[in-house]
Structure formats: C-alpha cells, structure tokens
Amino acid sequence: MVERRDIEIFLELGRELHFGRTAENLRVSTARVSQTIKQLERRIGVPLFERTSRRVELTPVGRRLHEDLAPAYRQILDGVARAVAAGRGLDGTLCVGFIGTAVGRFVYEVADVFHARNPTCQVQVRENAYSDGTTLIDEGRIDLLVAVLSPPEGSGLSASPILFREDPLLAVSARHPFARRASVTLDDLAHENVLRPRLLPDFADEALVPRRTPRGALITRGPDFSTIQEMCALVGAGKGVFPVPTHAAEYDARPDVAYVPLTDGAAFEWRLLWRTTAETVRVRAFVQAAQDYVAGRRDPLINR
C-alpha cells in the first residue's frame, strides 16, 4: 500500500528533480526522500528516476506516473481545502498575486476592504513576474491572481467579471522616432521588434500582441523578458517595443522610455483568476470585495 506521504514525496521530487530541495520543501531528511523513492521503485518494479552525480531525471515510467498522480493528488487536496474552508467559514489565509506596482497597490486596497469584513482571514500579497503566467495558481502557491488573461476553455481556471479596463500605450525608447509621435497603430509594429514575455502561454501572449498587423504583416518578436524591470531596460536600450497599460506611464516612468498611445491595440481588461477546483468562500469573498472597491471609482489604480 502506498501512503499519502510517499505520493507527496514522489510528486515533489518529480517537480524539483533535486533530493535536497525536495527534502527542504517537505521538511524531511534527504535520507527519507531517498528511502521512499527506493521503496516505491521496489513496489512498482522499475526505476522511476535516473540518478547521476550531476542530475536527477524521471524515467519514462516515472514521468507517466507523475502525470497520472499529480492531478488526482491536487484534486484531493483541493477537496479537503474546500471542506475545511466550508467548516471554518472565512478563517485562514488567502494569497493574492499581482503584476506591476500599480496593480500591487490595488490588491492591497482591496485586501483592506476584505479584511475589514473578515478580520479572522489574513491576506498575503505576492508579486508575479510576466514569465510566471498562471504557474503559481496552477501549482497552488497563490489562490488568486489579478491579470489581463482571459482563460480559455479547458484551462482549469475561472475568472471574475472584468474589474476595470485601461487603454494601451506602446513603450518605446526615448530615442525612437515613435517617441515624437502623438500616437501609433498596430500596423506601425510591422518593422519593429516587439518584446515577448518569457514562458508566457501563447494564448496569453497573443492577447497582448497579435501575430500579424491588421494589414497582414508578420510582427517580429523578441528579445524575451521576465519582469517589468527587464522589459523597461530592453525598451530603454532600444532593443524593442512593447504594449503596456495606461498606468505604466506614471508608475514605470523612466528618462529613457517614452509611452505613446496605441490607438487600435487591445484594451487591458483586468480580472481576478483562480483554479476552478480551488474555489472557496474566501475566494468568492475577495472577488466580491474587489468588485465593491472598483464600483464608482473612475480609476481604481490611483484610488479615485
């Protein structure tokens, strides 16, 4: 019989591919991790990991087992979490992610509204990088994410109604000819390098930057970046351009970067995202607090 802890150790090692980090994450000894994996391999009858002095890799059988067990194990944990949340009401902790300074301030403002209504529930706020995409939600490291992503069907994610919208600007080098223009269009991107967020899923990236201009020209992508700071540094150095929400002109102001209205770009539509299977009363209460906070505010990012 395989115990729950054995499965947890196997899944964590399959994710980390490092015995030491797995032991640290689960607060067990490295020997315990090694012993558990050896016992599992004896029960199954084949190696689950290939080990060398330099690396640890899943074998084909191990990879298949990891793919089979991970969703089921997450579903069990989510079911227990929902039951606990239902029993406790709004006690506990809620972790909310954000991208960008202005959106971080928004999350803290909403957290104040939420906490005033639910004083026994703590809100932790965590900054995400562009390159994180929905990984932190998918792995259960955050409960909610404020983002402009509209999750596709089958993604396992749910989304709140749109909380607020922002018009797009194009971030360009202050030395770029576009910096002297009153506005630009998507067709102007035909001869530019448009930066690409590293590791962002295609569906999310295409929501920000289409593959082609309205006239059909292919939009060249790259270099890649992970954070807003990396993006601004690349833009300032003249390595590329990138569409950003309106608040960037105030919150990400730099002497080497100019922000020009992108007249036909897609609006930035901010929502709260969460794992459908991990929806709790805490999640629903935070979404309601966010909707109440934005009601009547012309610009929720600067609290007016």
Side-chain angles (χ1 to χ4, degrees):
M1 179 179 179
V2 178
E3 301 291 337
R4 182 190 67 83
R5 191 60 164 170
D6 297 342
I7 295 174
E8 187 176 27
I9 289 173
F10 167 73
L11 290 175
E12 186 68 12
L13 181 59
R15 187 177 71 85
E16 287 284 4
L17 298 177
H18 191 283
F19 280 81
R21 287 196 299 269
T22 297
E24 182 179 353
N25 293 347
L26 299 180
R27 297 184 179 180
V28 299
S29 67
T30 304
R32 170 69 188 280
V33 175
S34 181
Q35 181 183 22
T36 296
I37 297 305
K38 288 179 181 177
Q39 290 174 346
L40 279 175
E41 290 177 330
R42 283 197 297 269
R43 288 172 184 168
I44 294 172
V46 294
L48 300 176
F49 293 89
E50 294 178 354
R51 309 164 182 81
T52 70
S53 59
R54 294 185 177 181
R55 62 184 178 88
V56 177
E57 297 286 348
L58 283 161
T59 64
V61 173
R63 186 175 302 107
R64 176 60 185 272
L65 181 62
H66 196 278
E67 292 172 353
D68 288 343
L69 289 181
Y73 183 70
R74 173 53 58 188
Q75 189 172 7
I76 291 171
L77 294 182
D78 290 344
V80 172
R82 287 195 299 273
V84 170
R88 293 181 179 177
L90 283 163
D91 293 345
T93 302
L94 192 70
C95 189
V96 184
F98 71 92
I99 299 174
T101 305
V103 182
R105 174 179 171 174
F106 168 77
V107 172
Y108 277 110
E109 297 282 353
V110 174
D112 286 343
V113 174
F114 173 87
H115 188 65
R117 298 174 178 178
N118 310 286
T120 60
C121 185
Q122 302 301 314
V123 178
Q124 295 178 349
V125 181
R126 174 170 180 171
E127 184 175 11
N128 284 33
Y130 261 102
S131 58
D132 287 330
T134 62
T135 300
L136 300 187
I137 299 181
D138 296 336
E139 295 180 354
R141 288 188 277 169
I142 61 174
D143 301 297
L144 289 153
L145 174 65
V146 183
V148 295
L149 308 180
S150 180
E153 186 176 352
S155 67
L157 297 176
S158 294
S160 72
I162 296 169
L163 297 173
F164 55 91
R165 293 177 172 86
E166 292 186 88
D167 291 331
L169 304 174
L170 189 68
V172 303
S173 168
R175 304 185 303 275
H176 196 290
F178 286 173
R180 297 186 291 275
R181 291 175 52 172
S183 65
V184 293
T185 68
L186 289 173
D187 280 318
D188 290 322
L189 302 182
H191 304 293
E192 303 295 326
N193 290 327
V194 181
L195 305 179
R196 180 183 173 94
R198 191 174 298 121
L199 303 179
L200 194 68
D202 287 342
F203 80 87
D205 181 59
E206 290 176 23
L208 297 173
V209 181
R211 292 179 180 271
R212 294 182 178 274
T213 70
R215 293 180 180 175
L218 186 67
I219 295 179
T220 303
R221 303 303 305 278
D224 294 350
F225 67 91
S226 290
T227 67
I228 292 175
Q229 290 74 22
E230 285 184 18
M231 182 270 291
C232 288
L234 286 166
V235 170
K239 302 300 182 182
V241 301
F242 193 70
V244 296
T246 301
H247 75 256
E250 180 173 347
Y251 279 85
D252 301 315
R254 293 171 49 124
D256 58 346
V257 176
Y259 296 96
V260 186
L262 182 60
T263 56
D264 56 349
F268 286 78
E269 298 179 331
W270 294 93
R271 305 169 173 85
L272 279 163
L273 307 181
W274 63 92
R275 289 198 323 279
T276 303
T277 58
E279 183 174 326
T280 64
V281 291
R282 292 191 292 266
V283 167
R284 291 193 293 271
F286 194 90
V287 171
Q288 186 62 57
Q291 291 176 299
D292 292 344
Y293 178 80
V294 301
R297 284 183 167 84
R298 183 167 61 86
D299 188 345
L301 292 188
I302 58 174
N303 196 20
R304 69 184 182 191

